[in-house]
Amino acid sequence: VGFTLLQLILGGYALHLDREPLRPLWALPLQQLLYRQMMSMVIISSVVSALVGTRLQWQKLARTGDVPPPPRLRPELADATSGVPGSGPAAAGG
């Protein structure tokens, strides 16, 4: 409780220095209780699977070739992004 209270005070001071609202501070105790426990669980399961030698297979998607082509740029944007000097809209006008 003392550690969480210290974090709330320091977090509030940091938000005050940045002139931010203090509203997000309500989630700090949840972060301490839930997020850190979840990350510990992920780390432990990763270490266990590494020690046991469990291998995960890559999950490959089947290629179907039915992806539509990307949308075309407007002509004025295509000229401006070509990167060739003298090929922009100003060069065409003279």
Side-chain angles (χ1 to χ4, degrees), residues 5-25 28:
L5 184 61
L6 179 66
Q7 281 191 325
L8 281 170
I9 292 169
L10 292 175
Y13 182 63
L15 290 172
H16 173 72
L17 288 177
D18 286 341
R19 294 183 179 93
E20 295 286 333
L22 298 178
R23 187 177 305 143
L25 283 179
L28 186 67

Side-chain angles (χ1 to χ4, degrees), residues 31-83:
Q31 186 263 347
Q32 292 296 316
L33 294 173
L34 300 176
Y35 179 75
R36 289 189 182 215
Q37 301 304 322
M38 184 184 70
M39 288 304 296
S40 296
M41 183 181 69
V42 168
I43 291 171
I44 290 171
S45 70
S46 298
V47 168
V48 167
S49 63
L51 291 175
V52 171
T54 306
R55 292 184 156 234
L56 296 176
Q57 299 294 323
W58 285 100
Q59 298 178 5
K60 299 178 184 175
L61 294 175
R63 296 185 180 196
T64 60
D66 61 352
V67 177
R72 301 184 83 189
L73 289 176
R74 294 189 320 230
E76 62 270 13
L77 292 178
D79 289 340
T81 59
S82 67

